[in-house]
Amino acid sequence: MGAGFSGLGMAIKLLEAGTKQFLVIEKADEIGGTWYANQYPGCACDIPSHLYSFSFDRNPDWSHMYSGRGEIEDYLKACVHKYGLRAYIRLNTRMQEAVWDEAGALWRVTTEDGATIRARVLISAVGALHVPKYPHIPGMEKFAGPAFHSTWWDSSIPLGGKRVAVIGTGASAIQFVPEIAPKAGKLYIFQRTPPWILPKPDFPIAERWRKRFRRFPFLTWLFRVGLFWLFEVRSGVFWVTFARCVSVDRRWPWIILQRRCPIPRYGQNSRQVMSSAANAC
């Protein structure tokens, strides 16, 4: 269930293992999962492209260190074509119910259109980043203007010169707010809980490096491994250093920071740490 990264990766590995008796069902009309559903301005991944990809199918042609959703979606489509997965994917097929048949020792999956799929093994590859969560605001239904969730961005609504209100400052808002801020006449941001934000060092990958990656595929492997350990080490060093800066005997960096930005009241490891190429404050 699901034709995003997880579902496609499982399908590829099943084919490599010689298994062809399987079916990938996807409720959307195209593959890609969250990278197909989320099409808001500035949508991109906060993990480097060479790391956010299949280890067995490394892409030498990423255009940026942190690629946008369109490029990630194109990568997944290229994988579907390369491994011949289209014949095993059924789009516009939403699972409604899955029941284990003890007597037959198989799953009976009922889809929204009433079809039944029988399978010995049922694998869930569904995600949650395509399911909108709306705030409970009294009187929200009385708002007469256009309103939509960032997950299902309505690009038909022009924002130029308009008064725009954004509710929430999570990972999506961190990406699309800098994109719409120069266009909106007035932008209001409502924040419940400030997140921890780290800078995202995004930059174009030069063509000369892409040529080297294409010519010497092992370089993409080295680069991927290097990125992995760089982020592992950096994470530990950053939080140790930060903890020392806000200790009792070094209060001044914390005080200065509080004057500029709202400070999260939860531990750095309690929730997702955001990254942004824009000025977070």
Side-chain angles (χ1 to χ4, degrees), residues 172-216:
S172 299
I174 285 175
Q175 293 182 337
F176 74 73
V177 165
E179 296 289 325
I180 68 173
K183 305 174 185 177
K186 190 73 174 180
L187 182 64
Y188 302 89
I189 301 176
F190 296 87
Q191 180 184 70
R192 182 192 64 181
T193 306
W196 291 103
I197 305 176
L198 295 179
K200 184 170 71 173
D202 191 17
F203 54 85
I205 298 178
E207 177 59 28
R208 65 178 182 275
W209 275 105
R210 283 184 266 174
K211 287 181 178 179
R212 290 166 183 163
F213 288 144
R214 288 192 293 268
R215 186 176 181 182
F216 306 106

Side-chain angles (χ1 to χ4, degrees), residues 158-171:
L159 301 181
K162 300 289 183 65
R163 288 191 301 168
V164 181
V166 176
I167 301 175
T169 54

Side-chain angles (χ1 to χ4, degrees), residues 40-272:
Y40 56 81
C43 182
C45 189
D46 55 5
I47 298 174
S49 303
H50 285 270
L51 199 56
Y52 193 81
S53 51
F54 293 128
S55 60
F56 54 82
D57 198 320
R58 300 181 301 276
N59 178 19
D61 291 313
W62 292 115
S63 65
H64 284 72
M65 191 67 173
Y66 295 83
S67 296
R69 62 152 296 275
E71 196 168 357
I72 297 174
E73 185 185 13
D74 288 342
Y75 166 76
L76 290 174
K77 289 181 179 179
C79 288
V80 168
H81 176 74
K82 178 179 179 179
Y83 294 97
L85 297 181
R86 280 293 178 184
Y88 302 92
I89 300 174
R90 186 182 297 177
L91 301 173
N92 296 304
T93 304
R94 181 188 293 270
M95 189 201 77
Q96 189 173 47
E97 184 182 48
V99 178
W100 173 251
D101 184 345
E102 190 70 34
L106 51 78
W107 287 94
R108 296 184 186 275
V109 179
T110 304
T111 62
E112 198 171 51
D113 58 3
T116 301
I117 302 171
R118 295 173 175 82
R120 296 291 181 186
V121 179
L122 179 63
I123 300 173
S124 175
V126 300
L129 299 181
H130 65 289
V131 181
K133 180 175 177 58
Y134 292 91
H136 298 289
I137 300 176
M140 185 175 178
E141 68 283 353
K142 299 179 182 178
F143 179 68
F148 54 88
H149 196 282
S150 60
T151 298
W152 302 107
W153 191 272
D154 191 344
S155 58
S156 67
I157 298 177
L159 301 181
K162 300 289 183 65
R163 288 191 301 168
V164 181
V166 176
I167 301 175
T169 54
S172 299
I174 285 175
Q175 293 182 337
F176 74 73
V177 165
E179 296 289 325
I180 68 173
K183 305 174 185 177
K186 190 73 174 180
L187 182 64
Y188 302 89
I189 301 176
F190 296 87
Q191 180 184 70
R192 182 192 64 181
T193 306
W196 291 103
I197 305 176
L198 295 179
K200 184 170 71 173
D202 191 17
F203 54 85
I205 298 178
E207 177 59 28
R208 65 178 182 275
W209 275 105
R210 283 184 266 174
K211 287 181 178 179
R212 290 166 183 163
F213 288 144
R214 288 192 293 268
R215 186 176 181 182
F216 306 106
F218 74 92
L219 289 179
T220 59
W221 179 83
L222 287 176
F223 192 47
R224 180 186 177 94
V225 172
L227 284 171
F228 174 82
W229 286 111
L230 174 65
F231 276 77
E232 288 293 300
V233 172
R234 190 189 74 167
S235 177
V237 171
F238 175 83
W239 294 125
V240 170
T241 304
F242 188 85
R244 290 177 178 176
C245 286
V246 298
S247 61
V248 176
D249 59 331
R250 300 186 185 184
R251 291 288 297 176
W252 62 269
W254 180 262
I255 295 173
I256 293 175
L257 194 60
Q258 280 184 316
R259 291 173 181 172
R260 295 189 59 198
C261 304
I263 301 298
R265 298 302 179 183
Y266 55 87
Q268 298 92 342
N269 295 323
S270 300
R271 301 185 185 180
Q272 178 185 358

Side-chain angles (χ1 to χ4, degrees), residues 14-25:
L14 286 173
L15 285 178
E16 288 182 354
T19 301
K20 296 184 178 181
Q21 297 296 318
F22 69 89
L23 178 68
V24 179
I25 60 174

